[in-house]
Amino acid sequence: MAAINPSQCHSVSSTCPFLGLKVNSRAQQVSLVRKTIGVVKCVATLEQTAYKTNVSRNENLGKLQAGYLFPEIARRRAAHMLKHPDAQIISLGIGDTTEPIPDVIASAMAKRAHALSTLEGYSGYGAEQGEKSVRSAIASTFYSNLDIEDDDIFVSDGAKSDVSRLQVLFGSNVTMAVQDPSYPAYVDSSVILGQTGQYQKDVQKYENIVYMKCTPENGFFPDLSSVPRADIIFFCSPNNPTGSTASRDQLTKLVQFAKKNGSIIVYDSAYAMYISDESPKSIFEIPGAKEVAIEVSSFSKYAGFTGVRLGWTVIPKSLLYSDGFPVAKDFNRIVCTCFNGASNIAQSGGLACLSPEGLEAMLETVGYYKENTSIIMETFRSLDFKVYGGTNAPYVWVHFPGRSSWEVFAEILEKTHVVTTPGSGFGPAGEGFVRVSAFGHRENVIEACRRFKNLFN
């Protein structure tokens, strides 16, 4: 037998003309590999040891369960597309707008963008809190007669970003309460900041978070008499995902509950423009709210700004910590430290949104999605499903009793090629529900509903 010449084998993988042997040069091991008649192959494999730093991972990130809900849905959609490359996928899952930005708004941004190419129109860093004209327009449009001043408003790159900045503001030594079900960013950001204990798989909850159960049985408003005290209460109305809207009486009880416990409410009003009844559009419509509440909102679902990114947070001067220090001053420090201000182009769009023509255009866009909602609700009701939400929100909350949300999601995707959102992704009380988004082109919504009827009839 001829001797092996190592130079005839590559450093990682190669064929050897002499023997059917596998050579590991680092471990100095030789093992037998496949041998064929007339051809003998030898593969030399060099094991690689990854370099590791001495920096420990943030243990709080290790507590997070699976992936964030919406990227996980995107991953499953991508896998489905690989399996069914010719299928026409319709997405009624993630709440991403689909209709073009109204021209009056897009034109304002285009004009500002072009001005940046001139000496006269160029501008660099702006105020971290937002341009004064935009703050003033937000105050006069959404908070007229509510005693909210321009400098109570912080313009940002979206409500989701502000939720995380607020968590940085609160720090790790607070307790938090959330509606169950609710937008997952509230819980996940709380976990990352170290406010929680471990995830308890048996109940699908994190330790040290107060889950305020919101179900059809309690009208999607928690029984506050049984809710333990928490420092921070995240509350969204109209709610994502259930589409429910808190009444004036309910929000009054929430403010009184916060005052009694010395808590701070973070009120998410990102869907307020969808309200068509007498429900409050702002927490600051409730007497005493300025002493216990912060409000976050966004242009995303009004003007199609999901990609443009523009929102705001309102922190009244009368909101104080236990030592009397104004919360707004600390948030201003957070903003100035972590943020360079919203895009000046996006802010020009925001200003155009709040012009008379812009407001009219946004209401038309909102109306379009609300018509989609009606079509979806009528479809599921015709199939004898119990359906919630929809009236004041772009989401329909459909009940599939006795079934797993992810199971229903998978069945709908496999048999209709329509993407929805499993309710359990929003919290344990969402199990057995599926959220159907009204964000979609009309023809796609109609086609999706036709497929629903074929599946569930």
Side-chain angles (χ1 to χ4, degrees), residues 152-426:
D152 293 331
I153 295 168
F154 297 82
V155 180
S156 72
D157 54 345
K160 184 177 182 180
S161 299
D162 276 346
V163 165
S164 292
R165 292 186 190 106
L166 287 169
Q167 294 285 34
V168 172
L169 172 76
F170 301 138
S172 59
N173 295 321
V174 294
T175 55
M176 191 185 72
V178 295
Q179 291 159 288
D180 177 22
S182 67
Y183 184 46
Y186 309 146
V187 169
D188 283 8
S189 59
S190 178
V191 174
I192 292 170
L193 260 293
Q195 298 169 359
T196 75
Q198 295 296 327
Y199 184 74
Q200 301 170 298
K201 290 186 177 180
D202 55 336
V203 293
Q204 299 179 23
K205 297 178 180 180
Y206 285 95
E207 297 171 336
N208 301 334
I209 287 185
V210 175
Y211 290 81
M212 304 185 297
K213 194 171 184 179
C214 297
T215 65
E217 290 71 30
N218 61 17
F220 296 102
F221 187 81
D223 177 8
L224 296 176
S225 65
S226 63
V227 173
R229 182 197 176 277
D231 295 308
I232 311 299
I233 303 170
F234 276 89
F235 196 92
C236 180
S237 180
N239 178 263
N240 177 14
T242 67
S244 61
T245 307
S247 68
R248 191 171 301 275
D249 179 62
Q250 289 172 330
L251 290 181
T252 298
K253 291 178 180 177
L254 181 65
V255 168
Q256 292 172 345
F257 178 76
K259 279 201 165 185
K260 175 184 176 183
N261 291 303
S263 306
I264 293 176
I265 300 167
V266 177
Y267 188 80
D268 188 340
S269 66
Y271 302 95
M273 194 173 275
Y274 287 79
I275 295 176
S276 54
D277 58 22
E278 297 303 312
S279 303
K281 295 184 177 181
S282 168
I283 190 66
F284 299 120
E285 295 180 36
I286 307 303
K290 290 194 297 296
E291 297 172 354
V292 294
I294 293 169
E295 183 163 304
V296 297
S297 197
S298 168
F299 288 100
S300 286
K301 304 311 192 313
Y302 305 160
F305 271 27
T306 50
V308 173
R309 309 306 305 149
L310 192 69
W312 68 91
T313 289
V314 183
I315 306 184
K317 299 178 185 63
S318 51
L319 180 65
L320 307 175
Y321 290 113
S322 58
D323 64 358
F325 193 83
V327 175
K329 286 190 175 182
D330 273 355
F331 189 68
N332 185 67
R333 179 60 185 268
I334 295 291
V335 167
C336 291
T337 301
C338 304
F339 187 51
N340 274 330
S343 157
N344 46 24
I345 297 173
Q347 290 190 77
S348 292
L351 199 58
C353 286
L354 303 175
S355 69
E357 298 82 6
L359 286 169
E360 182 180 352
M362 287 197 299
L363 287 172
E364 288 179 4
T365 300
V366 167
Y368 179 92
Y369 292 128
K370 285 172 71 70
E371 289 174 8
N372 284 350
T373 308
S374 296
I375 294 169
I376 296 167
M377 292 180 70
E378 289 169 8
T379 296
F380 280 101
R381 283 173 176 164
S382 72
L383 297 168
D384 294 327
F385 286 96
K386 289 187 177 180
V387 181
Y388 305 94
T391 304
N392 291 323
Y395 300 121
V396 179
W397 193 236
V398 187
H399 194 201
F400 291 83
R403 298 194 63 188
S404 156
S405 294
W406 277 108
E407 175 189 299
V408 176
F409 165 88
E411 179 186 18
I412 292 174
L413 181 58
E414 181 65 27
K415 296 181 179 179
T416 72
H417 308 304
V418 177
V419 180
T420 57
T421 308
S424 58
F426 298 96

Side-chain angles (χ1 to χ4, degrees), residues 48-220:
Q48 296 292 330
T49 302
Y51 173 79
K52 295 183 294 185
T53 71
N54 289 324
V55 179
S56 299
R57 183 189 182 198
N58 177 352
E59 62 181 9
N60 297 309
L61 288 168
K63 299 176 186 176
L64 293 172
Q65 297 301 297
Y68 185 68
L69 175 62
F70 300 113
E72 174 62 18
I73 290 173
R75 185 191 67 78
R76 296 191 184 209
R77 170 182 169 161
H80 183 77
M81 291 175 68
L82 286 175
K83 184 179 178 182
H84 303 280
D86 297 325
Q88 181 194 359
I89 307 293
I90 297 176
S91 181
L92 300 180
I94 185 172
D96 192 4
T97 51
T98 58
E99 302 312 294
I101 295 173
D103 183 68
V104 63
I105 300 168
S107 295
M109 291 191 286
K111 183 178 179 180
R112 181 69 175 271
H114 178 72
L116 291 173
S117 70
T118 68
L119 286 173
E120 298 78 15
Y122 177 76
S123 60
Y125 290 125
E128 291 89 348
Q129 304 82 2
E131 296 178 358
K132 182 172 177 57
S133 58
V134 180
R135 300 170 84 187
S136 178
I138 290 171
S140 61
T141 302
F142 296 112
Y143 305 101
S144 177
N145 301 319
L146 297 181
D147 197 28
I148 296 297
E149 301 177 357
D150 300 3
D151 57 357
D152 293 331
I153 295 168
F154 297 82
V155 180
S156 72
D157 54 345
K160 184 177 182 180
S161 299
D162 276 346
V163 165
S164 292
R165 292 186 190 106
L166 287 169
Q167 294 285 34
V168 172
L169 172 76
F170 301 138
S172 59
N173 295 321
V174 294
T175 55
M176 191 185 72
V178 295
Q179 291 159 288
D180 177 22
S182 67
Y183 184 46
Y186 309 146
V187 169
D188 283 8
S189 59
S190 178
V191 174
I192 292 170
L193 260 293
Q195 298 169 359
T196 75
Q198 295 296 327
Y199 184 74
Q200 301 170 298
K201 290 186 177 180
D202 55 336
V203 293
Q204 299 179 23
K205 297 178 180 180
Y206 285 95
E207 297 171 336
N208 301 334
I209 287 185
V210 175
Y211 290 81
M212 304 185 297
K213 194 171 184 179
C214 297
T215 65
E217 290 71 30
N218 61 17
F220 296 102

